[in-house]
Amino acid sequence: MGSLLLIVSVVATAQLIDGVLEHGDLSIFDPVVERRVPGLRDSALTVVADLLTYLGSELSIAVFAAVLVLWVGVQWRDRRLASVLVAAMVATAGLIVGVKHLVNRLRPEAWATYGPPDGSPAFPSGHTLGTTVFLGLLAGVVIVRFRQRWVRVLAVGAWLIGSVGVGASRVYLGYHWTTDVLAGLAMGIGVLAVTAIAVEALRLRWTGWTPGARREPEPA
């Protein structure tokens, strides 16, 4: 499953980048959304969007991720898993910076932005990518730690709703094009897929056995 999700992520991200650079594909709908979003704004939605965009900011995600790593490393005493979580978040930060400067896309026009202007590259949405990876890692940790089905469903639901919500807030506030957010989601899923593959591979290496294989009895 991890390999399949990684392939889907890479293909989707490549298509989105190609569309942005060629001014085609889904990116042709970005100006349409930009023009319509300001008419949808009201005070209540704006408060929610501001909160979501704050929770999905680089600083907030960094703090949340640090707490998660400490929880896993100290409370569970699983330093290897904690190291994988750190690597995933560091890779996410590098991916955000690298792709932003590679694509170098301008953000929506100032008149469409609700708040102070942002002159940094738009593609992908760093808020969306960071939130998708962090909440995905959190969901994975919860799924491993808790056996209750409702807890696992809640964790996955929070991941989906949180990722989409933060992404939507960035479009709502006019800081990103829709395809920026879609790229953030696609790339985030890719990072999670690689992390899942790495965790499984490292687990097999650490324990020295493969699923379904018969364990040899340990010497007395």
Side-chain angles (χ1 to χ4, degrees):
M1 178 61 73
S3 298
L4 177 60
L5 288 176
L6 178 58
I7 292 172
V8 172
S9 167
V10 171
V11 171
T13 301
Q15 289 281 44
L16 287 166
I17 291 176
D18 180 70
V20 168
L21 295 178
E22 299 292 334
H23 303 288
D25 300 331
L26 291 177
S27 68
I28 64 174
F29 298 103
D30 285 335
V32 177
V33 176
E34 178 194 35
R35 290 192 296 268
R36 293 185 178 181
V37 163
L40 302 176
R41 292 174 182 152
D42 64 33
S43 57
L45 283 177
T46 300
V47 170
V48 173
D50 281 333
L51 176 61
L52 287 172
T53 208
Y54 173 76
L55 293 175
S57 67
E58 288 83 356
L59 178 60
S60 297
I61 293 299
V63 172
F64 296 150
V67 172
L68 178 61
V69 169
L70 288 174
W71 179 37
V72 172
V74 177
Q75 185 67 26
W76 290 10
R77 299 180 181 177
D78 193 338
R79 295 181 180 178
R80 290 174 293 189
L81 179 56
S83 298
V84 172
L85 298 179
V86 171
M89 294 308 303
V90 170
T92 298
L95 198 58
I96 291 172
V97 174
V99 177
K100 276 183 178 293
H101 286 85
L102 176 65
V103 178
N104 198 28
R105 187 186 197 186
L106 294 177
R107 291 180 182 263
E109 298 175 61
W111 65 265
T113 304
Y114 190 88
D118 188 338
S120 63
F123 187 99
S125 166
H127 282 64
T128 307
L129 177 47
T131 301
T132 300
V133 173
F134 167 72
L135 291 181
L137 294 176
L138 178 60
V141 169
V142 169
I143 289 172
V144 170
R145 177 64 178 83
F146 299 94
R147 295 184 179 276
Q148 297 93 330
R149 182 180 179 84
W150 70 269
V151 175
R152 294 179 171 184
V153 171
L154 183 62
V156 174
W159 168 53
L160 294 173
I161 294 173
S163 300
V164 173
V166 169
S169 75
R170 303 303 288 164
V171 175
Y172 176 90
L173 294 173
Y175 284 101
H176 280 289
W177 307 99
T178 303
T179 46
D180 299 338
V181 169
L182 293 177
L185 292 170
M187 294 169 64
I189 291 173
V191 173
L192 292 174
V194 171
T195 304
I197 294 171
V199 167
E200 182 64 13
L202 291 172
R203 183 181 70 84
L204 298 180
R205 181 180 178 183
W206 295 333
T207 59
W209 68 285
T210 55
R214 182 178 180 180
R215 296 195 188 203
E216 296 296 330
E218 296 181 0

